[in-house]
Amino acid sequence: MKYSFISAEEAAASIHNGNTIGIGGFSSVGTPKAVPAALAVYAEKLHSEGKEFKVGLITGGATGSQVDSALVQAHAVAFRTPFQSNKEMRNAINAGEVQYYDVHLSQIGQDVRYGFLGDIDVAIVEASDITEEGDIVLSTSVGISPTLIQVAHKVIIELNEAHASKLTGMHDIYIPDAPPYRREIPIYRVNDRAGSISVRVNPEKVVGVVRTNERDRIAAFTPLNDTTSRIGQNVADFLLGEYQRGAIPREFLPLQSGVGNIANAVLGALGADKKLPAFSMYTEVIQNSVIDLMMQERIRFVAGSSLTLSDDRLDMLYDNIDVMKERVLLRPQEITNHPEMIRRLGIIAVNTALEADIFGNVNSTHVLGSKMMNGIGGSADFARNAYLSIFTTPSTAKDGLISSIVPHVSHVDSTEHDVRILVTEQGVADLRGKSPSQRARCIIENCAHPDYKELLWDYLKLSEGKGCHTPMSLRNALKMHIAFAETGDMRNTKFEM
Amino acid sequence: MKYSFISAEEAAASIHNGNTIGIGGFSSVGTPKAVPAALAVYAEKLHSEGKEFKVGLITGGATGSQVDSALVQAHAVAFRTPFQSNKEMRNAINAGEVQYYDVHLSQIGQDVRYGFLGDIDVAIVEASDITEEGDIVLSTSVGISPTLIQVAHKVIIELNEAHASKLTGMHDIYIPDAPPYRREIPIYRVNDRAGSISVRVNPEKVVGVVRTNERDRIAAFTPLNDTTSRIGQNVADFLLGEYQRGAIPREFLPLQSGVGNIANAVLGALGADKKLPAFSMYTEVIQNSVIDLMMQERIRFVAGSSLTLSDDRLDMLYDNIDVMKERVLLRPQEITNHPEMIRRLGIIAVNTALEADIFGNVNSTHVLGSKMMNGIGGSADFARNAYLSIFTTPSTAKDGLISSIVPHVSHVDSTEHDVRILVTEQGVADLRGKSPSQRARCIIENCAHPDYKELLWDYLKLSEGKGCHTPMSLRNALKMHIAFAETGDMRNTKFEM
């Protein structure tokens, strides 16, 4: 071992008040586990002595509770970027305790390298192995770890022995050069290798290695229900129709699919439909359903930035590791989400909306325009550059008290220009080539819940009275949101005529 | 000549009711001139006989009055995409007579090839020359003409003798293959050539060649005023600061600049500041000021999709044509605006906003959320993928009756995630790494007009009272727009407390 082993407490003590910390990992896996917890304890100790201690936290994407919960509960976070999906962090962001910068996940790595977010004082990354030369073999995710290791002044490595020797060879680490003179990203098919299997680190920067032996804990998904199943089926039926009419090439196109239940339902439906060929995935997060479909030979190959798998699926992967290393690649999120790659490969992107409006604008992040849920993540990286960008949402939320289809979204994350297909359990709206008035008709007719159709038609009628390109009534655009905020039920909306 | 000459009237008579017509050209130049006018006359004749005649119109970008005005005044347009900047067309769109599909200009070419907009029945393109082999040398713009020529069932060529033999060699025609298996776009420096100098056409599709001899007429820009000059100077000062602190590489980065007065002011200020090195442009539209700065050796090289030049600047170009052919390239808009290229080259993108909100969302298209101005154009192609995306706007419009900085834009074209720097004549807001609350303070302080600062601070205070990530008051978000719509002056805004 080229580096010295140290305790998590020793590692934490190398971090100072006001530091910017880069935390490795992605989608709650492959994140360091021991040092953030020790850092939280260290922060609380300093606070109890009346000393200030807060850090800025830059990650690849979501982290587990070992990072966000621990550090937020210790009131040790001043700044957070680019994504989180953690209850305590979310509350702190919405309380204004943590300043949160919500960025496209393809951009955060280059933002760090370009110096837009200042210096990274300390990087903390999880390794599954360290080579004799001292190179880091990452664990179950890549995220922006290679960039953090490259630019941070100090590097703390957690060596997680739970993955020892399993993952070597599954990573493909490539970081683009700086502009203006650089070559293309040398990936032309989903399974092309562009980089190395490990990350070189300047040994002088390594604070030490902390041993751990703990698998990632991922949140359980609730089982599919009728609504999510119907959404999945609607997506599959739509893609089959496009495929059969020749609008998707014979080889099919690589698929990107977001995270969560709807994504699982979409994959399940695509996998079950044998009229579609087996396909490849070029995606961000590799979920359980991907492994299932690989075992059934419905997914040929997957490239992503994290193995966000439950224990049984990780076991399944490890039990078949020799074959799986030919069929799975883990890449930096800058590459999995890169506009160059998504456009070149012709990705079909399926992402989830929090709400959509009748013109096709999508809100992915804000409840009632103000409360942050998680962040934009990679949804717009994919939607903006995809061959086909599909957004899905159940037509209602909160047992029908909220319509996910509204006259005017309270916040926009993907604009009408980037949303080609909208799918709810009610049906599919194909927005390509349609004017706003035509889109509104198509979405109300096909996607809105019956409880809300009349309300939405009323809005459209009163707005169209004014005769403009996009029928919008300034006085009524947010009335459905106001009705929910003030009465708890969007069905109580009263438009001003 | 491989093809037969025909009259504009004969050409027009080959077009049928319900056809989708692809019109060549970009940014009002290099568009066909005789056939659209003849088509308008033909349509009016059919209408007078009680016959239906309407077509769908797909262009590269804006067309001159010879196309949009002529055909709209003849009530011959049912559908229009992807961009226009013509008064009669705008009125028809806002009256609901023409269904308008507003798309990113990098995408319309591939949308056509992918078949998303149905068949192209007839393409009408302007040539400056036709080679012995029958290949088309385009004229002062490229736009999506190569794609239209490739996919249309019939092709009508206008041979514009006003440009005879002048432009041969200035075009670089490259169309990407179809996914999923394709290579990179082989451009690694702004001046790399990727394609051919002319466009091959299947001779069997050529209806005939119509002779013309007429230069493009471009709208005169109003002279710079104090506001636009200060915006230009603010952008130049900001970029100089970034350059001097090392956040922009020593070679500088290729610049993209939108169309119009502010773009001219920005270029003028960058050109005048000798502390910045001479730079290259990778842009959409080549305006007068670019030629001026090339003559002064402040711009080294420019690649764009159109020479949108006044007569004197076109003369200047033609007078120096041998040198200029080494320093100017005309490419398809799919390449000038391509996410792969913009991200690879590290473009600095400067585009104009119609309005921006205090969180950094930008409206580029809609007045009061409903009335279409022109279209999104390439602004989001560049902003989304740029090294630095800068949006500019005067802080007020209509002599101060409208604040361009509002609590909540009435329409979103570039989201808070894609707007890094906001500039008005009042100053510069650097939004990188800032939470919504921090951005709001930064924008109100630096960019808002003094007449509106107190109003915006009031909004921020009342919204922050609720304690969420993005301070938004549903009841007040659009109150400034409502005040203007109902009283003609945003300063009459009364917020509900």
Side-chain angles (χ1 to χ4, degrees):
Chain A
M1 163 61 65
K2 190 162 181 167
Y3 314 114
S4 44
F5 287 105
I6 58 172
S7 69
E9 292 68 29
E10 288 171 308
S14 71
I15 296 168
H16 306 302
N17 179 43
N19 275 183
T20 296
I21 312 298
I23 303 263
F26 193 75
S27 189
S28 304
V29 303
T31 53
K33 294 161 183 74
V35 180
L39 184 63
V41 173
Y42 181 59
E44 281 175 336
K45 179 174 159 285
L46 290 175
H47 293 161
S48 73
E49 294 165 4
K51 291 177 187 152
E52 277 187 30
F53 189 90
K54 270 185 198 285
V55 297
L57 221 54
I58 300 180
T59 62
T63 65
S65 56
Q66 298 110 323
V67 179
D68 274 334
S69 298
L71 289 170
V72 147
Q73 283 168 344
H75 303 287
V77 184
F79 171 72
R80 182 80 174 84
T81 194
F83 186 84
Q84 56 75 35
S85 63
N86 175 274
K87 190 180 161 195
E88 285 80 22
M89 182 56 79
R90 181 181 302 132
N91 290 342
I93 287 167
N94 285 313
E97 187 190 326
V98 174
Q99 301 302 317
Y100 181 51
Y101 181 51
D102 180 17
V103 195
H104 302 295
L105 295 190
S106 85
Q107 289 187 334
I108 185 70
Q110 73 175 26
D111 276 11
V112 165
R113 290 199 306 282
Y114 294 168
F116 290 173
L117 300 171
D119 283 6
I120 307 291
D121 297 291
V122 186
I124 313 173
V125 298
E126 183 176 272
S128 63
D129 279 295
I130 298 173
T131 68
E132 279 182 27
E133 296 76 27
D135 295 349
I136 296 169
V137 179
L138 294 170
S139 66
T140 45
S141 68
V142 180
I144 60 165
S145 299
T147 286
L148 295 173
I149 292 167
Q150 184 184 82
V151 305
H153 297 311
K154 293 188 267 190
V155 176
I156 297 167
I157 306 169
E158 288 196 6
L159 179 60
N160 189 342
E161 296 173 345
H163 305 290
S165 82
K166 299 285 203 317
L167 292 162
T168 302
M170 195 172 272
H171 306 95
D172 180 36
I173 309 296
Y174 177 87
I175 303 181
D177 293 333
Y181 306 135
R182 56 182 168 186
R183 298 289 301 188
E184 81 276 16
I185 296 170
I187 297 171
Y188 315 98
R189 297 194 176 210
V190 173
N191 58 350
D192 282 344
R193 284 191 164 272
S196 58
I197 63 168
S198 58
V199 186
R200 178 131 301 181
V201 54
N202 175 353
E204 290 173 15
K205 301 201 300 189
V206 177
V207 176
V209 176
V210 178
R211 277 182 219 261
T212 65
N213 192 332
E214 184 185 349
R215 280 202 178 175
D216 301 297
R217 284 169 290 178
I218 69 159
F221 290 116
T222 48
L224 293 193
N225 59 29
D226 191 44
T227 301
T228 47
S229 297
R230 273 153 62 196
I231 292 172
Q233 196 56 52
N234 285 342
V235 172
D237 290 348
F238 169 76
L239 288 176
L240 179 64
E242 290 292 292
Y243 182 68
Q244 289 180 331
R245 77 178 181 90
I248 295 174
R250 291 310 304 161
E251 313 87 337
F252 212 67
L253 289 168
L255 188 78
Q256 175 263 339
S257 171
V259 183
N261 276 328
I262 295 179
N264 275 323
V266 167
L267 281 177
L270 286 171
D273 194 332
K274 299 291 167 56
K275 291 193 280 299
L276 290 170
F279 54 93
S280 291
M281 293 193 70
Y282 192 93
T283 196
E284 198 180 78
V285 174
I286 301 173
Q287 294 195 127
N288 278 353
S289 49
V290 175
I291 302 300
D292 294 344
L293 288 172
M294 294 190 85
M295 300 304 287
Q296 298 162 33
E297 305 295 345
R298 291 293 294 150
I299 292 180
R300 306 193 305 251
F301 191 93
V302 63
S305 199
S306 71
L307 293 167
T308 305
L309 302 176
S310 58
D311 263 352
D312 55 339
R313 296 317 198 289
L314 189 63
D315 284 336
M316 204 183 275
L317 183 86
Y318 284 167
D319 289 346
N320 297 277
I321 194 71
D322 291 339
V323 178
M324 283 302 194
K325 271 187 195 163
E326 303 297 319
R327 297 178 62 191
V328 179
L329 272 186
L330 292 177
R331 294 200 175 106
Q333 68 197 65
E334 187 169 344
I335 306 302
T336 58
N337 291 27
H338 202 290
E340 176 173 337
M341 294 316 313
I342 294 162
R343 181 109 166 210
R344 181 182 304 152
L345 295 171
I347 305 290
I348 295 172
V350 189
N351 289 287
T352 308
L354 202 61
E355 63 175 359
D357 68 30
I358 56 177
F359 306 111
N361 299 287
V362 158
N363 172 7
S364 308
T365 55
H366 282 72
V367 176
L368 297 176
S370 52
K371 192 183 157 207
M372 171 56 63
M373 282 294 289
N374 300 337
I376 191 166
S379 59
D381 287 325
F382 287 98
R384 179 69 183 81
N385 297 296
Y387 182 95
L388 263 183
S389 80
I390 301 173
F391 276 90
T392 61
T393 178
S395 68
T396 60
K398 298 239 177 220
D399 293 324
L401 299 173
I402 290 176
S403 173
S404 309
I405 308 297
V406 293
H408 182 94
V409 286
S410 57
H411 186 269
V412 179
D413 293 291
S414 287
T415 74
E416 50 159 345
H417 312 284
D418 296 328
V419 180
R420 300 300 189 101
I421 313 291
L422 186 65
V423 179
T424 69
E425 83 286 356
Q426 301 291 322
V428 176
D430 184 346
L431 309 177
R432 291 172 292 180
K434 292 192 171 72
S435 71
S437 282
Q438 292 172 325
R439 291 201 294 268
R441 285 173 165 71
C442 181
I443 290 173
I444 299 174
E445 191 58 42
N446 293 292
C447 295
H449 190 278
D451 285 0
Y452 287 98
K453 277 190 176 176
E454 199 181 320
L455 208 51
L456 294 165
W457 283 125
D458 286 348
Y459 176 81
L460 185 63
K461 248 175 280 171
L462 78 89
S463 307
E464 280 188 330
K466 300 180 189 168
C468 271
H469 175 61
T470 296
M472 179 189 185
S473 160
L474 292 166
R475 284 196 168 272
N476 291 299
L478 294 167
K479 275 280 197 289
M480 285 176 66
H481 298 87
I482 293 171
F484 179 77
E486 296 181 357
T487 75
D489 191 340
M490 277 194 179
R491 286 169 293 205
N492 296 329
T493 303
K494 299 266 179 295
F495 292 124
E496 297 177 37
M497 290 301 168
Chain B
M1 163 64 64
K2 191 162 181 167
Y3 314 114
S4 44
F5 287 104
I6 57 173
S7 70
E9 292 68 29
E10 288 171 306
S14 72
I15 295 169
H16 307 301
N17 179 43
N19 275 184
T20 297
I21 312 299
I23 304 264
F26 193 76
S27 190
S28 304
V29 303
T31 53
K33 294 161 183 72
V35 180
L39 184 64
V41 173
Y42 180 59
E44 281 174 339
K45 179 173 159 286
L46 290 175
H47 293 162
S48 73
E49 294 166 4
K51 292 179 187 150
E52 276 188 29
F53 189 89
K54 270 185 198 286
V55 297
L57 221 54
I58 300 181
T59 62
T63 65
S65 55
Q66 299 109 322
V67 180
D68 274 333
S69 298
L71 289 170
V72 148
Q73 284 168 345
H75 303 288
V77 184
F79 171 72
R80 181 81 173 84
T81 194
F83 186 85
Q84 56 74 36
S85 62
N86 175 274
K87 190 180 161 196
E88 284 80 20
M89 181 56 79
R90 182 181 303 132
N91 290 342
I93 287 167
N94 285 313
E97 186 189 327
V98 174
Q99 301 302 316
Y100 180 51
Y101 181 49
D102 180 18
V103 195
H104 302 294
L105 295 189
S106 85
Q107 289 188 332
I108 185 71
Q110 72 174 26
D111 276 11
V112 166
R113 289 198 306 282
Y114 294 169
F116 290 174
L117 300 172
D119 283 6
I120 307 290
D121 298 291
V122 187
I124 314 173
V125 299
E126 183 176 273
S128 63
D129 280 295
I130 299 173
T131 68
E132 279 183 26
E133 295 77 25
D135 295 349
I136 297 170
V137 179
L138 295 170
S139 66
T140 45
S141 68
V142 180
I144 61 165
S145 298
T147 287
L148 295 174
I149 292 166
Q150 186 184 80
V151 305
H153 298 310
K154 293 189 268 191
V155 176
I156 297 167
I157 306 170
E158 289 195 6
L159 179 59
N160 189 342
E161 295 174 345
H163 305 290
S165 82
K166 299 283 203 320
L167 291 162
T168 303
M170 196 173 271
H171 304 95
D172 180 37
I173 310 296
Y174 177 87
I175 303 181
D177 293 332
Y181 306 135
R182 56 180 167 187
R183 298 290 300 190
E184 81 277 16
I185 295 170
I187 298 172
Y188 314 99
R189 297 193 177 211
V190 173
N191 57 350
D192 282 342
R193 284 191 165 273
S196 58
I197 62 168
S198 58
V199 186
R200 178 132 300 182
V201 55
N202 175 353
E204 291 173 15
K205 300 200 301 189
V206 176
V207 177
V209 175
V210 177
R211 277 183 219 261
T212 65
N213 191 332
E214 184 185 348
R215 281 203 178 175
D216 301 297
R217 284 170 290 179
I218 69 159
F221 290 115
T222 48
L224 294 193
N225 60 28
D226 191 44
T227 301
T228 46
S229 296
R230 273 154 62 196
I231 292 173
Q233 197 55 53
N234 285 343
V235 172
D237 291 348
F238 169 77
L239 288 177
L240 179 64
E242 290 291 292
Y243 182 68
Q244 289 180 331
R245 78 179 181 90
I248 295 174
R250 290 311 303 163
E251 312 88 338
F252 211 67
L253 289 168
L255 188 78
Q256 174 263 338
S257 172
V259 183
N261 276 328
I262 295 180
N264 275 324
V266 167
L267 281 177
L270 286 171
D273 193 332
K274 300 289 168 57
K275 291 193 280 299
L276 291 169
F279 54 92
S280 291
M281 294 193 69
Y282 193 93
T283 196
E284 200 179 76
V285 175
I286 301 173
Q287 297 195 129
N288 277 353
S289 49
V290 176
I291 303 299
D292 295 343
L293 289 172
M294 293 189 86
M295 300 305 287
Q296 300 163 30
E297 306 294 345
R298 291 293 294 152
I299 292 180
R300 304 193 307 250
F301 191 93
V302 63
S305 199
S306 72
L307 293 167
T308 305
L309 302 176
S310 59
D311 264 352
D312 55 339
R313 296 320 197 289
L314 189 63
D315 285 336
M316 204 182 276
L317 183 85
Y318 284 168
D319 289 346
N320 297 278
I321 194 71
D322 292 339
V323 177
M324 283 302 194
K325 272 187 194 163
E326 302 297 319
R327 296 178 61 191
V328 180
L329 272 187
L330 293 177
R331 296 202 175 104
Q333 68 196 66
E334 187 169 343
I335 306 302
T336 58
N337 291 26
H338 202 290
E340 176 173 337
M341 293 317 313
I342 294 162
R343 181 108 165 209
R344 181 183 303 151
L345 296 172
I347 306 288
I348 296 172
V350 188
N351 290 286
T352 308
L354 201 61
E355 64 175 0
D357 68 29
I358 55 176
F359 306 111
N361 299 286
V362 158
N363 172 8
S364 308
T365 54
H366 283 71
V367 176
L368 297 176
S370 51
K371 191 184 160 208
M372 170 56 62
M373 283 293 291
N374 300 338
I376 191 166
S379 59
D381 286 325
F382 287 97
R384 177 69 182 82
N385 297 296
Y387 182 96
L388 263 183
S389 81
I390 301 173
F391 276 89
T392 60
T393 179
S395 67
T396 60
K398 298 238 178 223
D399 293 324
L401 298 174
I402 290 175
S403 173
S404 308
I405 309 297
V406 292
H408 183 93
V409 286
S410 58
H411 187 271
V412 179
D413 294 291
S414 286
T415 74
E416 51 160 344
H417 311 284
D418 296 328
V419 180
R420 300 300 189 102
I421 313 290
L422 186 65
V423 179
T424 68
E425 82 287 356
Q426 300 292 321
V428 176
D430 183 347
L431 309 177
R432 290 173 292 179
K434 292 192 171 72
S435 70
S437 282
Q438 293 172 325
R439 291 200 294 269
R441 285 174 167 69
C442 181
I443 290 173
I444 298 174
E445 191 58 43
N446 293 292
C447 295
H449 191 278
D451 284 0
Y452 287 98
K453 277 191 175 176
E454 198 180 322
L455 209 51
L456 293 166
W457 284 125
D458 285 349
Y459 177 81
L460 186 63
K461 248 175 277 170
L462 78 88
S463 307
E464 280 189 330
K466 300 179 188 170
C468 271
H469 175 62
T470 296
M472 178 188 185
S473 161
L474 292 166
R475 284 196 169 272
N476 292 299
L478 295 167
K479 275 282 196 290
M480 286 176 66
H481 298 86
I482 293 171
F484 179 78
E486 296 181 356
T487 75
D489 191 340
M490 276 193 180
R491 286 169 294 204
N492 296 328
T493 304
K494 299 266 179 294
F495 292 124
E496 297 177 37
M497 289 302 168

